[in-house]
Amino acid sequence: MLGKEILGAISLGLLLFQGTAIPILLSRLLRGPGRRPPLEPKTPTPDLLGTVSIIVPTLNEAERIDPCLAGLSRQSYEVREIIVVDSHSQDGTQKRVKAAAQKDPRFRLMTDDPLPRGWVGRPWALHTGFLNSSPKSQWILGIDADTQPQPGLVASLLAAAEEEEYDLVSLSPQFILRHPGEWWLQPALLMTLLYRFDSAGVREPAPERVMANGQCFFCRRSVLEKLGGYSSAASSFCDDVTLARYAATQGFKVGFLDGAKVIRVRMYEGARETWQEWGRSLDLKDAASSSQLWGDLWLLLATQGLPLFVSAILLIYLGLGYSFPTLKAAVGLNLFLLAIRFALLWAIAPSYYRGEKPSPAAWLFWLSPLADPLAVLRIFISAFQKPTQWRGRIYSLGD
């Protein structure tokens, strides 16, 4: 067991290390209640006819693209065309797109050229689609194949962009989870974003704190032309955030809104795939400076990664009769952080789709704070690794 002096020094160190992070965390969380409400489905007006071109990048998406194609087909006349840019899938993805095109002529299938050096597959496909889209469309909407667009999605994006005078807006979705491990781990990973950045719907963050979601990424065509399409995010594995922050630094108005009522997403199968695939991009290092990355890692460790362990260990010492001011203060601080974390479950609960018959494993959502140390560990691991493969593509470390 540790002596009183050593325990006192550790308690003081924790107070300094964690206590300085709490005001930063609270300053972000307290902006949440004043955020813009979630988008509601809208009905387009005649003046919006043919306003939007949609681009869907695909690579071996046959097992999950059908709900996306169906959801896009249900969008109304504001959608001029739906361009599916396929990167030479080998699993029947193209066949499914062709079947959708027989029912809805707005669908157009094309394959992208070989990946140029310095480009990641997703921004290259989006860039290809943008260059081949109709110049008559005023807006470009990038949609991922794992999404499930709901009726009124595109009209709601147009309405929000007009109301807030956005040049670029992306949406946070409603997540569809099935397996027990997902319900336990995925909310903890999502919380790492909420701790570092403002909630969806908070207005006008600083350019370096802008958040974005490429699963639903809506931008004025004229703005994309001025930005050089997706080229500014060519080599980024978080191209959505990279491009959105670049747009913000160029003076364009960027919004990140709550789209839980208009778009859903089923990203990964199980906790293992969630850990491997989503965890690799959540550090956002490609869109941040090294100082910002280190600051975010410190904040996550101090406010999300440590409280569970620290509370448990220090409470044991209190139970053994160790009682002095710094120890009590350190215990109180970490219990306070845990209370915040559990309270935030109520705030993010609408971001998860329950359906008419909720998953039997959905109760594990309420225990997701117990996965926080793992979630923070995943961000640390990802922050110091460069991806070598993504969605079936292999990248050399020199790319």
Side-chain angles (χ1 to χ4, degrees), residues 156-283:
S156 72
L157 282 166
L158 286 165
E162 177 69 23
E163 180 181 338
E164 301 281 353
E165 298 182 342
Y166 285 127
D167 298 301
L168 188 162
V169 59
S170 63
L171 302 183
S172 64
Q174 188 175 62
F175 297 98
I176 301 172
L177 306 182
R178 294 176 183 154
H179 305 298
E182 295 175 72
W183 280 106
W184 184 66
L185 177 62
Q186 200 271 6
L189 288 168
L190 178 65
M191 196 62 65
T192 66
L193 294 174
L194 188 59
Y195 273 42
R196 286 178 286 165
F197 307 104
D198 288 319
S199 304
V202 171
R203 294 171 171 83
E204 300 182 3
E208 68 274 10
R209 307 308 302 183
V210 161
M211 262 301 294
N213 178 22
Q215 293 166 326
C216 184
F217 195 90
F218 193 60
C219 188
R220 294 184 191 273
R221 181 182 193 86
S222 59
V223 171
L224 269 181
E225 290 172 345
K226 292 176 182 177
L227 296 177
Y230 294 81
S231 59
S232 63
S235 61
S236 175
F237 285 93
C238 56
D239 56 278
D240 44 8
V241 180
T242 299
L243 183 57
R245 290 181 180 177
Y246 178 62
T249 62
Q250 299 304 302
F252 296 110
K253 189 172 182 181
V254 178
F256 180 55
L257 306 180
D258 187 339
K261 296 182 179 181
V262 292
I263 187 167
R264 298 175 187 144
V265 61
R266 171 72 182 148
M267 292 194 298
Y268 304 114
E269 292 293 333
R272 180 176 181 178
E273 191 172 318
T274 301
W275 168 275
Q276 291 176 340
E277 300 294 332
W278 199 32
R280 299 185 282 202
S281 61
L282 288 178
D283 60 89

Side-chain angles (χ1 to χ4, degrees), residues 341-350 365-366:
R341 175 63 177 88
F342 277 94
L344 286 172
L345 288 172
W346 296 97
I348 67 170
F365 167 82
W366 302 103

